[in-house]
Amino acid sequence: MGMTLGQLAVRYGCELRGDPDSVVHGVATLASAAPGSISFLANPVYRSQMASTRATAVILRTADAAGCPVAVLVAQDPYAVYARVAAELHPVPPLRPGIHAAAVLGAATLVPSSCQIDAGAVLADRVSLGERVSIGANVVIGEGVEVGAGTRICAGAVIYTGVRLGSRCIIHSGAVIGADGFGFARERDGSQLKVPQIGGVVIGDDVEIGACTTIDRGAIGDTFVADGVKLDNQIQVGHNVRIGAHTVIAGQAGVSGSTTIGARCTIGGRVAIAGH
């Protein structure tokens, strides 16, 4: 799949300085680019690589355009434009609708004909899938789980009972959503008495959950992850946490139970947030 620079400029509102008929087929870094690829410059650390780049074009800001040896697409936010171009030139593989013979479906489970269910997936009773859902190999989905339209659950993820996933989410491999939170009452003799975790997990639309990230079910009531939240790999989200819309959290962060995080927050890697 290829697109001309003219097409990209019109589609993404860029100023093109170069041949509008030049075609690009993929994206690459400034250093590794070859003819037929498009790159970007958003961080000045990499500006020195632009002089020797072999890319067909570079997406950049006006201030960085001078001296670029190849065609440029001038944008206010080069990285956001690059993300859109990359998604267009490297689309997610299309769905292959159907249920693999080695998948297991429970009673009263609803699977529209537009869904893809791969080998080894197990869907318990009364699971409900929206249109165009993709369930990877060896995914396990618990009883009564609801999955919104267009959501993709990658191989090996586990979704416990009592979870609701919104539309267009991406759940990466090894993620576990809805396991018990860490709730114990100390007895007089020092032993620990498990507190039943009877809540669920509610995930909004357009949420991405990284590989091996865990989101605990609520102790009482639900754990909430709002629309547009992006969670990196290996994050722990405790029971009854509430994460506001479009917040992003980097890898190895830990969020203790009953924490409330607002909308559009940015939380770096290995940040620890105490409970309540």
Side-chain angles (χ1 to χ4, degrees):
M1 178 180 178
M3 296 192 70
T4 67
L5 298 184
Q7 288 173 319
L8 293 176
V10 170
R11 185 163 301 182
Y12 300 113
C14 301
E15 175 193 349
L16 172 61
R17 302 180 187 178
D19 180 4
D21 294 325
S22 293
V23 177
V24 291
H25 299 276
V27 300
T29 65
L30 287 167
S32 66
S37 60
I38 187 168
S39 189
F40 73 99
L41 176 64
N43 188 329
V45 169
Y46 300 103
R47 198 179 196 291
S48 62
Q49 297 179 3
M50 192 168 64
S52 59
T53 189
R54 299 175 63 235
T56 293
V58 179
I59 306 166
L60 41 63
R61 296 183 181 88
T62 301
D64 295 317
C68 184
V70 299
V72 298
L73 290 169
V74 178
Q76 288 186 334
D77 190 342
Y79 194 50
V81 172
Y82 160 77
R84 292 185 172 94
V85 171
E88 190 151 7
L89 294 176
H90 302 272
V92 174
L95 280 178
R96 302 186 305 277
I99 301 171
H100 195 281
V104 178
L105 273 60
T109 286
L110 300 177
V111 180
S113 61
S114 60
C115 294
Q116 174 181 332
I117 312 251
D118 289 346
V122 177
L123 281 62
D125 295 347
R126 297 186 300 282
V127 171
S128 177
L129 305 185
E131 297 287 343
R132 303 174 307 284
V133 168
S134 172
I135 306 295
N138 300 318
V139 166
V140 177
I141 299 181
E143 185 174 337
V145 168
E146 298 177 13
V147 182
T151 284
R152 177 161 54 99
I153 304 177
C154 300
V158 177
I159 315 297
Y160 279 62
T161 187
V163 173
R164 284 182 287 162
L165 296 176
S167 298
R168 301 174 303 280
C169 295
I170 302 173
I171 313 300
H172 286 284
S173 294
V176 177
I177 303 175
D180 283 357
F182 192 66
F184 299 90
R186 186 184 294 272
E187 298 274 39
R188 288 179 178 270
D189 62 2
S191 62
Q192 303 291 335
L193 178 64
K194 183 175 178 64
V195 177
Q197 305 290 291
I198 60 175
V201 180
V202 178
I203 308 289
D205 297 336
D206 302 300
V207 172
E208 184 158 355
I209 297 172
C212 297
T213 282
T214 55
I215 302 176
D216 291 343
R217 67 193 313 103
I220 302 174
D222 296 328
T223 301
F224 286 94
V225 179
D227 294 350
V229 168
K230 312 299 183 187
L231 301 181
D232 196 1
N233 303 330
Q234 298 178 337
I235 292 170
Q236 159 66 11
V237 177
H239 53 191
N240 296 104
V241 168
R242 303 179 72 92
I243 302 177
H246 306 294
T247 283
V248 295
I249 304 180
Q252 296 186 356
V255 184
S256 296
S258 299
T259 294
T260 298
I261 299 172
R264 295 176 175 82
C265 295
T266 301
I267 296 172
R270 302 189 74 182
V271 166
I273 301 178
H276 308 278

